[in-house]
Amino acid sequence: MNDYISILKKDLLDVIDNLIKNNIVNQDFKKDNLTIDYLSKSKQGEVSTNLFILLNSQLNKNDYDLRKNIHKNIINFEYVKKIEITKVGFINIFFEEDFIIKKLFFLLSHPNNYGNNVSGNNDKINIEFVSANPTGPLHIAHIRGAVLGDALASILQATGHKVTREYYVNDAGSQINILGNSLYKRYQQIFGVKIEISPEEYPGEYLIPIAKLIADSDNDKWLKIKEVERKKFFEGFAIKELVKSIKLDLKSINISFDQFTYESTIVENKIIDKVFSILKDKDLLYEGFLEKPKGDDSADWEPRKQLLFRSSNFTDDRDRPFKKVGGEWTYFANDAAYHYDKYLRNYTHLINIWGADHIGYIKRMKSLTEVISDNPKYLEVYVCQIVRLIKDKNFLKMSKREGNFITLNEIVKKVGKDPLRYFMISSKSETPMDFDMDKVIEKNKDNPVFYCQYAYARASSVINKSKTFKEFKNFKNKFNEFDYSLLSKYEWEIILKLLSWPYLLNQTSLFKQPHRITNYLEDLSSSFHSFWNMGKEDQSLRMLDLENTKKTLTKLLWIESFRIVVKRAFTIIGIEAYENM
RNA sequence: GCGCUCUUAGCUCAGUUGGAUAGAGCAUCGGUUUUCUAAACCGAGGGUCGCAGGUUCGAAUCCUGCAGAGCGCGCCA
């Protein structure tokens, strides 16, 4: 990491280390509390730090002139031009222009990977997301997790991790039975059999075209074939077709997976047996009874003896069933086997993106992965809160029963890929979100994605226009002409923001919060639009000035940098950068 | 009852993982286009950061309690 923030941070930490070494502050000084404020957060300097405040309260020696010594230390950094320590103790720092300009040159010469780093150490990370049951098309509830997972994967790749995007297909439970049966009923209907699909089954119309496929190729042959064979065929066919359409839906929002793992494969390979023996050896399984949950009012509750996993030995608040009363594995047990399978594939780290309805499931799975990996942090689970759809100012109620859920496909058609992706990651995933279909459709300034794309288009139009003048051709090769003294302070601020991109991207990766990127984009775009409009008031701030070639060249260089950074950010969150809008 | 998550402007959300006077957009009101894209910009009003304590130089942020919302808590996946 050699962005200006990281460099400064490292040097400030060295200052602290030195003070510790000389026993001016204690060994247990908490270095993590050191902050560097940049961008708009820094009120007075180009950046500011709390270094002095932190140290001042922890001094061992009363006669030590901290203020003077800190000042001397920092001003000696070769890239620091000026510092001031305020009364409260904030240190405002200004950089040497040459230092910043070198960074800008570096940016310009790395248009396709500026900001990327290798801090991930090539760690193998498996990120599992969506994993919707293949019993119907994807709908609104799946989109947030899909986009979040995909963006997170890109962010991790950009910061040096080897990432596998994985989808777990639950194709082995009783739901699949029902699915196959519903498909068969649709098939029967084609041949005039009077039969209804009950609300407990899958009455959605999406099974009709799939049934037609079978009828087209096999005619009515399955009406006469034995149930066992028929069931197997219809279940398999339904899953194959539905997974195919799920893949297509995901492709429409630019998401593709590296791997689909099928529950049936996990079951066939008997991986559960290995997990069972591991848990058994560690005495983490026992036959026992669970207490009735207190909020459960149902009268037909009876104590039942079954195989339980001692998840309460870890962070869970109670033990969890591993086998059903009948002796079959629970869903959790098969899922445990799946996670063990991922562990065997040698990932250094697992990430799961789950919907809010699985919150109660996290602790038992983390308990399990701790047992098999010996690492309490082996699995990280990120939860997506629900998305409420608003149409015509009303919340849309969705029920599978009535078959009236809005599919991902329909939303993409109405809203478009870019606004959809942008909105889904622009708020923290743990916050419930309201998604107003009408507002997103409007495609005006209500919509931040267009605001940012428009800024990119404006910048592009300047660059493209400049190409019509011979003085500015090949401006990218004329970095020697760059002269900061011809720039306004607004532009200098924008340049500093651009150069904070590598730091921001790394923070985004560390905290797994893609929405930091959209915040950054909006801040950056806003600065750009502001500056653009200043040119209307003040001729000297206009970007293209044919009278003043050197000044215009200097501007073109930072405008090109702006385009590079915005495009990098767009690419990582998966939206398009248009040169014309 | 227990667990997890959430609560910031009229609305939708940020707040760089404890910093300086809490910020945007929408909505409301008022301004800015002979000139690089007005899908934009500038200004005004709008706040008990759910409530109450605590921790410290300093709290929207951390801790405790309370209130409200969502999700979950054996044979669904």
Side-chain angles (χ1 to χ4, degrees), chain A residues 200-259:
Chain A
E200 286 73 31
E201 300 177 284
Y202 292 98
E205 298 194 345
Y206 56 87
L207 287 180
I208 296 174
I210 298 177
K212 276 191 182 138
L213 285 177
I214 302 175
D216 286 349
S217 67
D218 294 353
N219 216 327
D220 64 349
K221 100 173 192 197
W222 294 101
L223 295 177
K224 301 163 233 162
I225 283 174
K226 271 190 226 153
E227 187 178 334
V228 183
E229 193 183 336
R230 189 198 73 213
K231 273 196 144 170
K232 198 178 157 198
F233 174 79
F234 276 83
E235 286 170 15
F237 198 88
I239 287 166
K240 194 184 87 197
E241 287 301 317
L242 286 168
V243 168
K244 202 194 279 179
S245 78
I246 285 172
K247 284 182 182 173
L248 277 176
D249 282 352
L250 289 167
K251 202 176 170 194
S252 73
I253 49 174
N254 260 2
I255 295 177
S256 61
F257 284 84
D258 302 304
Q259 179 156 357

Side-chain angles (χ1 to χ4, degrees), chain A residues 496-527:
Chain A
L496 287 169
K497 275 182 192 179
L498 294 172
L499 295 177
S500 71
W501 163 248
Y503 184 80
L504 183 116
L505 177 62
N506 199 51
Q507 296 289 102
T508 304
S509 170
L510 282 176
F511 300 122
K512 316 273 194 301
Q513 296 178 332
H515 74 275
R516 289 182 189 229
I517 291 181
T518 55
N519 289 343
Y520 174 75
L521 276 170
E522 284 167 44
D523 184 40
L524 198 55
S525 302
S526 169
S527 302

Side-chain angles (χ1 to χ4, degrees), chain A residues 320-545:
Chain A
R320 303 293 175 176
F322 211 69
K323 272 188 178 177
K324 299 175 189 174
V325 173
E328 299 162 69
W329 302 111
T330 55
Y331 175 79
F332 168 62
N334 279 329
D335 214 7
Y338 169 53
H339 281 77
Y340 184 62
D341 179 70
K342 286 197 267 193
Y343 171 75
L344 292 179
R345 283 187 264 146
N346 278 322
Y347 289 105
T348 45
H349 203 67
L350 304 182
I351 294 176
N352 288 354
I353 311 276
W354 283 349
D357 53 342
H358 288 75
I359 284 181
Y361 201 75
I362 295 174
K363 285 184 170 176
R364 80 188 74 166
M365 190 52 77
K366 288 193 70 136
S367 303
L368 189 277
T369 54
E370 182 176 344
V371 175
I372 58 182
S373 70
D374 234 354
N375 174 3
K377 290 179 179 170
Y378 186 64
L379 170 69
E380 271 179 279
V381 181
Y382 294 95
V383 169
C384 278
Q385 279 294 340
I386 50 161
V387 177
R388 294 189 300 179
L389 264 188
I390 300 174
K391 179 99 180 101
D392 302 325
K393 296 188 177 171
N394 289 312
F395 289 112
L396 285 180
K397 283 271 174 207
M398 270 176 277
S399 105
K400 194 168 83 176
R401 183 155 304 203
E402 292 158 33
N404 69 348
F405 51 83
I406 294 192
T407 62
L408 180 146
N409 195 0
E410 290 170 299
I411 297 179
V412 174
K413 275 184 188 152
K414 276 187 187 151
V415 174
K417 177 199 65 142
D418 288 349
L420 187 58
R421 286 192 64 119
Y422 192 94
F423 263 79
M424 286 299 152
I425 62 160
S426 62
S427 60
K428 267 185 310 200
S429 62
E430 316 92 76
T431 312
M433 177 166 70
D434 291 339
F435 188 78
D436 190 326
M437 308 250 310
D438 307 307
K439 277 195 176 175
V440 181
I441 291 168
E442 277 175 15
K443 300 194 177 183
N444 57 22
K445 63 188 169 184
D446 276 16
N447 194 332
V449 64
F450 285 97
Y451 184 83
C452 299
Q453 286 176 320
Y454 184 46
Y456 182 88
R458 275 180 152 179
S460 300
S461 83
V462 174
I463 299 290
N464 289 331
K465 184 150 189 171
S466 77
K467 288 177 184 162
T468 61
F469 304 102
K470 65 173 190 314
E471 305 91 301
F472 305 130
K473 277 199 176 140
N474 301 320
F475 72 88
K476 288 182 213 171
N477 300 328
K478 297 182 181 164
F479 200 83
N480 294 340
E481 307 265 340
F482 189 95
D483 182 351
Y484 70 86
S485 69
L486 299 174
L487 292 177
S488 62
K489 64 172 182 177
Y490 311 106
E491 291 163 284
W492 196 248
E493 276 170 21
I494 293 176
I495 289 172
L496 287 169
K497 275 182 192 179
L498 294 172
L499 295 177
S500 71
W501 163 248
Y503 184 80
L504 183 116
L505 177 62
N506 199 51
Q507 296 289 102
T508 304
S509 170
L510 282 176
F511 300 122
K512 316 273 194 301
Q513 296 178 332
H515 74 275
R516 289 182 189 229
I517 291 181
T518 55
N519 289 343
Y520 174 75
L521 276 170
E522 284 167 44
D523 184 40
L524 198 55
S525 302
S526 169
S527 302
F528 184 85
H529 285 307
S530 258
F531 180 70
W532 179 284
N533 279 69
M534 284 176 200
K536 294 183 189 302
E537 299 277 316
D538 182 348
Q539 192 73 30
S540 72
L541 293 178
R542 291 178 64 79
M543 297 177 182
L544 289 178
D545 181 356

Side-chain angles (χ1 to χ4, degrees), chain A residues 51-76:
Chain A
L51 178 77
F52 177 81
I53 301 175
L54 291 180
L55 291 170
N56 199 32
S57 57
Q58 302 288 324
L59 281 186
N60 280 339
K61 300 181 179 171
N62 290 333
D63 58 339
Y64 186 78
D65 191 342
L66 184 68
R67 192 173 277 263
K68 193 174 155 195
N69 280 288
I70 289 286
H71 192 283
K72 201 177 91 190
N73 262 298
I74 296 179
I75 202 72
N76 278 338

Side-chain angles (χ1 to χ4, degrees), chain A residues 5-246:
Chain A
I5 301 164
S6 301
I7 289 173
L8 178 64
K9 193 162 193 171
K10 186 183 162 295
D11 288 343
L12 292 179
L13 287 171
D14 285 349
V15 170
I16 297 176
D17 282 338
N18 249 314
L19 291 171
I20 292 174
K21 211 164 87 188
N22 295 321
N23 200 28
I24 291 162
V25 294
N26 275 329
Q27 297 283 338
D28 58 355
F29 181 82
K30 289 187 191 135
K31 290 194 277 187
D32 288 348
N33 289 340
L34 178 75
T35 59
I36 294 179
D37 289 339
Y38 57 102
L39 305 183
S40 49
K41 262 283 192 156
S42 171
K43 302 282 199 263
Q44 332 259 336
E46 291 177 342
V47 298
S48 68
T49 172
N50 61 353
L51 178 77
F52 177 81
I53 301 175
L54 291 180
L55 291 170
N56 199 32
S57 57
Q58 302 288 324
L59 281 186
N60 280 339
K61 300 181 179 171
N62 290 333
D63 58 339
Y64 186 78
D65 191 342
L66 184 68
R67 192 173 277 263
K68 193 174 155 195
N69 280 288
I70 289 286
H71 192 283
K72 201 177 91 190
N73 262 298
I74 296 179
I75 202 72
N76 278 338
F77 296 164
E78 58 189 7
Y79 51 83
V80 169
K81 183 182 184 186
K82 175 174 102 171
I83 78 165
E84 40 194 47
I85 304 181
T86 66
K87 268 188 188 167
V88 192
F90 287 101
I91 306 176
N92 294 309
I93 299 175
F94 297 82
F95 296 100
E96 290 285 358
E97 285 86 358
D98 286 348
F99 171 73
I100 295 299
I101 291 166
K102 268 185 202 151
K103 296 287 169 202
L104 188 65
F105 181 63
F106 180 83
L107 188 171
L108 277 162
S109 50
H110 294 82
N112 297 318
N113 62 2
Y114 179 66
N116 289 12
N117 67 52
V118 293
S119 61
N121 231 346
N122 250 338
D123 281 354
K124 272 182 76 181
I125 294 190
N126 180 290
I127 173 162
E128 183 215 324
F129 56 109
V130 188
S131 296
N133 288 349
T135 54
L138 296 179
H139 50 89
I140 181 74
H142 304 120
I143 298 178
R144 194 173 188 182
V147 175
L148 180 77
D150 187 53
L152 206 49
S154 300
I155 290 161
L156 290 169
Q157 283 173 319
T159 49
H161 302 82
K162 281 190 81 172
V163 177
T164 303
R165 291 170 167 85
E166 181 152 334
Y167 190 119
Y168 183 47
V169 186
N170 293 121
D171 63 339
S174 60
Q175 291 303 312
I176 300 305
N177 224 307
I178 299 170
L179 176 73
N181 207 32
S182 298
L183 179 61
Y184 181 55
K185 285 185 176 178
R186 288 295 188 195
Y187 175 77
Q188 287 174 294
Q189 287 172 345
I190 292 174
F191 296 101
V193 180
K194 290 243 182 310
I195 191 162
E196 291 297 313
I197 299 178
S198 75
E200 286 73 31
E201 300 177 284
Y202 292 98
E205 298 194 345
Y206 56 87
L207 287 180
I208 296 174
I210 298 177
K212 276 191 182 138
L213 285 177
I214 302 175
D216 286 349
S217 67
D218 294 353
N219 216 327
D220 64 349
K221 100 173 192 197
W222 294 101
L223 295 177
K224 301 163 233 162
I225 283 174
K226 271 190 226 153
E227 187 178 334
V228 183
E229 193 183 336
R230 189 198 73 213
K231 273 196 144 170
K232 198 178 157 198
F233 174 79
F234 276 83
E235 286 170 15
F237 198 88
I239 287 166
K240 194 184 87 197
E241 287 301 317
L242 286 168
V243 168
K244 202 194 279 179
S245 78
I246 285 172

